Amino acid sequence: MSASISVLNIRTCAAALALATLAGCTTVTVQPGAEGTQTTVNGAPATRAPVVEASLRSDGTPVAAPAPVAPVVAPAPPPAAPAILSGFHLQAGTFSNQTNAEGVAANIRSKTPQFASLVHVQPRGDLWRVVIGPFGTDAERMQAAGTIRSAIGSEVVNAAP
């Protein structure tokens, strides 16, 4: 499709091009005339649809704006572990990447299912810690440390609060 347009002003040109596109025509001409501008499509006078302000009714009264729609926000997941540790805990590692920390936590859960509910990934500043606990006593924590160390092949240490 080709369109030859004599540009009178940007607004008129844009309207004429839109008419040409909708009509599927090959030639649109915009010319100044005694009564304003004259637009022809394929040599015939073009008809224009009335321009209506979207925020006004045809009688000129304002249209009430629709009520704003609240964005859908997914609820934040609950924290995996308390921000400050209380009680006896073990730490299996500190990571700069949450995905890596989650991988280590999943490994511990799968190899020591008796402690699965006690394994948490916890943010600490811009790092992620894998903590296990709380245990009722220091003796329980030490026994769990030996079991986890044997199962995963890595050292676990006492966690600082």
Side-chain angles (χ1 to χ4, degrees):
M1 170 176 72
S2 67
S4 63
I5 300 175
S6 302
V7 178
L8 181 60
N9 65 39
I10 297 295
R11 188 173 187 175
T12 303
C13 180
L17 188 55
L19 283 172
T21 303
L22 290 174
C25 68
T26 57
T27 305
V28 175
T29 306
V30 180
Q31 298 175 338
E35 299 175 12
T37 60
Q38 176 75 25
T39 304
T40 60
V41 177
N42 289 340
T47 59
R48 295 184 184 176
V51 176
V52 178
E53 176 65 37
S55 60
L56 299 177
R57 292 188 179 92
S58 61
D59 64 357
T61 60
V63 175
V69 177
V72 177
V73 178
I84 297 175
L85 298 178
S86 60
F88 299 99
H89 288 77
L90 295 169
Q91 181 170 318
T94 302
F95 303 87
S96 61
N97 180 310
Q98 183 179 7
T99 303
N100 293 344
E102 294 289 351
V104 168
N107 184 42
I108 295 169
R109 288 182 192 112
S110 70
K111 292 184 177 177
T112 58
Q114 67 271 35
F115 301 118
S117 66
L118 301 178
V119 179
H120 306 283
V121 174
Q122 178 184 49
R124 187 169 193 173
D126 59 349
L127 301 175
W128 299 91
R129 299 191 320 167
V130 177
V131 293
I132 306 141
F135 297 97
T137 65
D138 189 40
E140 288 176 7
R141 174 174 59 181
M142 297 309 291
Q143 184 179 3
T147 303
I148 294 167
R149 183 182 315 109
S150 296
I152 66 171
S154 296
E155 189 65 40
V156 290
V157 297
N158 292 340

